[in-house]
Amino acid sequence: MPRPGQVTSSSRERLPDRIAIGVLTRAFPPELVDEVLAATGRVEQRKRLLPARVVVYFVLAMCLFRQEGYEEVTRLLTNGLAWTRHWQAQWQAPTTAALSRARARLGAEPVAALFERVATPVATAATAGAWYRGHRLVAVDGTTFDLADTPANGDYFGRPDSSRGDGVSAYPQARVVALAECGTHAIFAATSAPLTTTESKLVPKLWPALAPDMLLLADRALLSFDAWRAATATGADLLWRARSSAVLPVTRQFDDGSYLSEIVAARDKNRRADPATVRVVEFTLGEAATVYRLVTSLLDPEQAPAAELAALYAQRWEIETALDELKTHQGGPNLILRSQHPDGVEQELYGFLLTHHALRGLMHDTAASAETDPDRISFLRTLRVVRRQVTDQAAFSPEPPNASTTVHP
């Protein structure tokens, strides 16, 4: 018998005309997926065993059930339809080859476009740990993903150097940079490239996702005049660490120990004709001799005291945790993406980012209802709950809603 809220069709649908995706349908409703498919030109002219909408959800499920093979993922998606007996008689899981062809047919563009549509900061004004004096705390960082060892991936993405064998790693790698909300770990912008592309070359692609209410935290590797100018042009404020070798002359000293300074482009280091004014905060941790230097666009010490900014910079590590969740917990230890070709790699990367954002959105809503900090909610436990729900629910029809249906109350 169908469970409350499940939908049955008056026609005998082909598989998989309805699949289970659990709470991920909440984050990525079928209507939105259809809009994205239409916008990216993936609307199909003939009915297939694996329609484009189904393949999008298959990619999400593939990234949620990282340890399972293709055919087992489809079985998990349709497990919630066991009550519909004619499915058991009519349906067999598509083969791995059929699923691979369907992924190639879909391509990366719709999955990337879906991420752009739904990936936004999720914290509200009441979210604990997400704000500093009216600024939404966000951070930028990068990581690499090991890829399947295929000629196509190796030629496109490249391999890191190695001290063993022929001097290169056994696996190609893709570089990814991302923006994440510190209070919720929600990754709301990301881009990827071959390993030879440095993080400093990739991060400018993320600046359009910044907003004037944000305070962006970044490590010292990112600080340059051009990056600073481009990021502040978005209206966001910045708090970045500076290298110990950076030249930061004192132009005005403040009572809280911070001081005004300026940074210039390397091409302007002699004339200093076009400087950017910054405020510098210097501090040490414990009895360590290392002096940490932060530069910020928050120039007024009354509005942002130096001691508060020094303590606040530790929030930058939240994006490190978010990336670890994505790779180690969601992807599993020693994650190697399964895609054999570059377009599939990009598709898979955005699938991981989408499912992580959905998980983090659910965790935020759970924390809000319990009036607690999202950091108090376990990511790993949430992941396990969502995986169980996927196999328990039949949530929607992947075909456009043009058939007669009956809803069981």
Side-chain angles (χ1 to χ4, degrees), residues 105-166:
R105 192 166 58 244
L106 179 70
E109 187 181 1
V111 189
L114 183 61
F115 179 76
E116 291 180 7
R117 288 284 299 271
V118 303
T120 60
V122 300
T124 66
T127 303
W131 303 87
Y132 170 72
R133 293 184 177 236
H135 291 84
R136 186 188 300 270
L137 296 178
V138 301
V140 61
D141 202 5
T143 188
T144 57
F145 284 79
D146 287 341
L147 311 178
D149 182 16
T150 65
N153 285 344
D155 291 344
Y156 182 81
F157 289 103
R159 303 169 189 265
D161 293 335
S162 172
S163 59
R164 300 180 179 180
D166 56 5

Side-chain angles (χ1 to χ4, degrees), residues 163-378:
S163 59
R164 300 180 179 180
D166 56 5
V168 294
S169 171
Y171 296 102
Q173 287 186 345
R175 190 178 304 281
V176 173
V177 293
L179 285 170
E181 193 174 38
C182 296
T184 66
H185 295 187
I187 297 172
F188 62 94
T191 189
S192 64
L195 185 64
T196 53
T197 305
T198 62
E199 290 183 10
S200 60
K201 293 289 184 64
L202 272 183
V203 290
K205 295 183 178 181
L206 305 179
W207 297 156
L210 295 176
D213 70 336
M214 293 179 178
L215 176 58
L216 175 65
L217 312 179
D219 198 9
R220 55 190 170 185
L222 187 58
L223 181 60
S224 71
F225 176 83
D226 291 335
W228 187 270
R229 272 283 169 86
T232 53
T234 67
D237 280 303
L238 313 182
L239 179 63
W240 294 2
R241 187 178 172 188
R243 291 185 175 90
S244 59
S245 60
V247 177
L248 297 170
V250 178
T251 61
R252 180 183 175 186
Q253 187 77 47
F254 293 114
D255 292 341
D256 68 349
S258 64
Y259 58 90
L260 288 185
S261 186
E262 58 185 28
I263 59 175
V264 296
R267 57 186 175 275
D268 190 34
K269 64 180 181 179
N270 294 323
R271 296 178 62 233
R272 305 184 76 86
D274 184 29
T277 300
V278 299
R279 180 163 152 246
V280 182
V281 175
E282 297 183 346
F283 64 97
T284 59
L285 296 176
E287 298 180 357
T290 302
V291 176
Y292 295 87
R293 293 197 296 173
L294 307 178
V295 293
T296 181
S297 60
L298 299 171
L299 304 182
D300 186 352
E302 296 293 328
Q303 299 298 318
E308 291 183 3
L309 294 181
L312 186 66
Y313 185 71
Q315 293 292 311
R316 192 199 72 80
W317 290 98
E318 299 295 344
I319 191 172
E320 303 266 2
T321 303
L323 293 173
D324 182 66
E325 292 167 356
L326 184 71
K327 295 175 63 176
T328 303
H329 298 305
Q330 187 179 331
N334 304 314
L335 170 65
I336 301 171
L337 299 189
R338 66 179 90 196
S339 301
Q340 306 291 303
H341 300 278
D343 193 55
V345 167
E346 185 178 4
Q347 182 193 79
E348 190 173 356
L349 285 171
Y350 279 108
F352 269 101
L353 291 164
L354 281 164
T355 49
H356 182 271
H357 192 275
L359 291 165
R360 271 295 165 183
L362 175 64
M363 292 170 66
H364 172 265
D365 292 349
T366 302
S369 64
E371 298 183 349
T372 189
D373 191 320
D375 284 345
R376 305 284 295 179
I377 308 295
S378 167

